[in-house]
Amino acid sequence: MLRHFDARAAKSLSPGQHIIISNYPGLRLTATATTRTWVYRYKSPIDSRMRQTALGHWPAMSFPAAIVAWEKLKADREKGIDHALVVKTNRQEKRKVEETKSLIDVENAYTVRVLCDEYLQGHVNQHRAKKGRTEIARMFNTMLGEVSNLPASSITRSIAFNLIQSYATSSPVQAGKLRCELGAAWDYAIDSGRLPETVANWWRLILRGKIRSKGKTIEGVKIGTAKRVLTEMEVAELIEWLPNFTKPLEDVLTLYLWTACRGAEIVSMAGSDIYEKNGQVWWSIPKHKTKNSRHEKATDQRVPLYGRALAIVKRRKLLFGDSYLFPMRDRSSHIQQKYITEQVFYRQPYSKIRPNLNRPRLTVTHWAPHDLRRTARTILAELGCPDSVGESILGHMLPGVVGTYNRHQYDTEKQEWLKRLSDHLEGLVA
């Protein structure tokens, strides 16, 4: 401890040592390997803890200048001001402001568009079929509008409601799908930690149960949402009319009736999917081609072929071998289910597509290809087919505990009831 400052003593300090100036309580000069620093050490007037604050480096700050700084801080302490605590608090507040700003910048950069893209890449592209992936990407690209550029964390209930409601009146089905996919995208972002758990998923909460399809309108007449099932008389008339289609179309529509399978499964049929066992020809639909492909417990679907369905498959297998039996012209892939639907609509008497071009017009009207699948299932029920067998023929997974415990494939029963269906359809035509 020195009563007066000694420059030679200051220069001779080793790292970690310090000089206390007795005439100025709390003032000391501390040494490190490279610096000498004036420090004011004191007891806090706020919490009585010992604190210290740096005044400046010697010799840049002379002894008299250090005394001036010490006197100011000592006066502040006597007024109840803890200078070191003030500096610490200011530093913490500054850091908090910077962190908040940084967080805001990150949130602003994480827009709805970025969130949707991550959902597409991380989930949709991994678990959905190509058709589903394409449709969801199209919705995000065309339906988000200005909402696309908003920070995802800033979406309010009002913003979510206005976006979905803008489509609900004119396109309720599309509005419902958009709401569902955005809800799933928000769940994905929250699960991955890209959105805080405190962010509300408004897409799940708005308009629940309030978006309903009004059904089709044909020639100004509302058809509604009723599911079309052709009568037996209409089925007979339609079968007689089918040769007016091109051969691929006629064959696909015939297979709808004779197998009750989905259109996407029919058009993707390949010759390699056909095999014979114990005199029975089977069409084995690989799991990845079915609508159940995403379900772990789903299996390949086996369809026994009879009557016209068997004749069609044998004829087309002779033409195309193990490749797609309904190929596109360049053989790169198979024709699409959408093409079948479009061609059926094109031949409806109320179709206004290319009205000046003459073509055969359907005599059985107001139906779509999928209605033939529903018609075949209805005929099976009318013939007495048990529900479990009928649902298995459709390729539906049995629901609830029945599906969990009953893993029977119903191959024998399928043979019986699809043979009956074939005979019944031929009987209608006869």
Side-chain angles (χ1 to χ4, degrees), residues 51-88:
R51 288 195 175 89
Q52 64 182 30
T53 184
L55 307 180
H57 297 303
W58 179 84
M61 173 178 274
S62 65
F63 178 54
I67 294 174
V68 173
W70 169 82
E71 288 177 339
K72 181 178 183 304
L73 293 180
K74 183 172 178 294
D76 287 343
R77 176 186 174 280
E78 292 172 352
K79 294 176 183 177
I81 300 173
D82 186 336
H83 182 73
L85 187 59
V86 170
V87 171
K88 181 181 179 181

Side-chain angles (χ1 to χ4, degrees), residues 18-275:
H18 62 271
I19 295 174
I20 297 176
I21 312 299
S22 61
N23 291 340
Y24 306 96
L27 179 63
R28 59 178 61 188
L29 183 68
T30 61
T32 65
T34 58
T35 63
R36 306 288 187 272
T37 305
W38 291 109
V39 172
Y40 174 43
R41 184 175 173 81
Y42 62 94
K43 181 179 288 188
S44 171
I46 296 176
D47 56 15
S48 298
R49 292 185 177 183
M50 294 302 299
R51 288 195 175 89
Q52 64 182 30
T53 184
L55 307 180
H57 297 303
W58 179 84
M61 173 178 274
S62 65
F63 178 54
I67 294 174
V68 173
W70 169 82
E71 288 177 339
K72 181 178 183 304
L73 293 180
K74 183 172 178 294
D76 287 343
R77 176 186 174 280
E78 292 172 352
K79 294 176 183 177
I81 300 173
D82 186 336
H83 182 73
L85 187 59
V86 170
V87 171
K88 181 181 179 181
T89 302
N90 290 341
R91 188 186 302 118
Q92 290 175 341
E93 289 180 353
K94 182 180 179 181
R95 186 184 300 116
K96 186 175 180 180
V97 169
E98 290 175 349
E99 289 175 351
T100 302
K101 184 178 182 301
S102 176
L103 182 61
I104 291 174
D105 290 341
V106 170
E107 290 179 350
N108 288 340
Y110 192 57
T111 63
V112 173
R113 177 76 260 182
V114 173
L115 182 151
C116 289
D117 286 343
E118 289 185 356
Y119 170 64
L120 285 169
Q121 295 299 322
H123 178 75
V124 174
N125 291 348
Q126 307 299 323
H127 300 95
R128 305 285 182 89
K130 181 179 179 181
K131 182 179 179 181
R133 297 197 300 267
T134 303
E135 172 59 16
I136 295 171
R138 184 201 65 79
M139 284 196 303
F140 288 166
N141 288 333
T142 61
M143 299 178 71
L144 293 177
E146 295 180 357
V147 172
S148 177
N149 298 319
L150 296 177
S153 60
S154 72
I155 298 301
T156 63
R157 189 181 199 119
S158 175
I159 292 174
F161 177 89
N162 290 337
L163 177 64
I164 302 304
Q165 186 62 29
S166 67
Y167 294 104
T169 302
S170 58
S171 304
V173 174
Q174 284 294 302
K177 290 180 179 178
L178 179 63
R179 172 185 174 274
C180 178
E181 293 301 335
L182 285 173
W186 248 248
D187 284 343
Y188 181 82
I190 293 172
D191 289 345
S192 65
R194 295 286 276 144
L195 278 180
E197 294 182 3
T198 54
V199 172
N201 189 346
W202 294 117
W203 311 106
R204 296 288 193 201
L205 303 175
I206 60 167
L207 295 170
R208 287 187 297 181
K210 297 177 182 178
I211 305 176
R212 296 184 177 89
S213 172
K214 299 177 181 178
K216 295 184 291 186
T217 299
I218 299 178
E219 294 184 293
V221 178
K222 287 192 177 297
I223 305 302
T225 57
K227 305 299 183 182
R228 177 85 156 98
V229 175
L230 277 63
T231 66
E232 291 193 342
M233 186 176 295
E234 288 176 322
V235 171
E237 184 178 347
L238 177 61
I239 293 173
E240 294 280 7
W241 196 95
L242 287 180
N244 288 286
F245 285 110
T246 62
K247 201 62 179 175
L249 277 164
E250 177 190 358
D251 289 350
V252 169
L253 294 172
T254 300
L255 287 169
Y256 265 105
L257 285 170
W258 258 258
T259 66
C261 287
R262 299 179 179 92
E265 296 164 349
I266 294 172
V267 297
S268 64
M269 181 190 295
S272 57
D273 300 335
I274 310 302
Y275 70 96

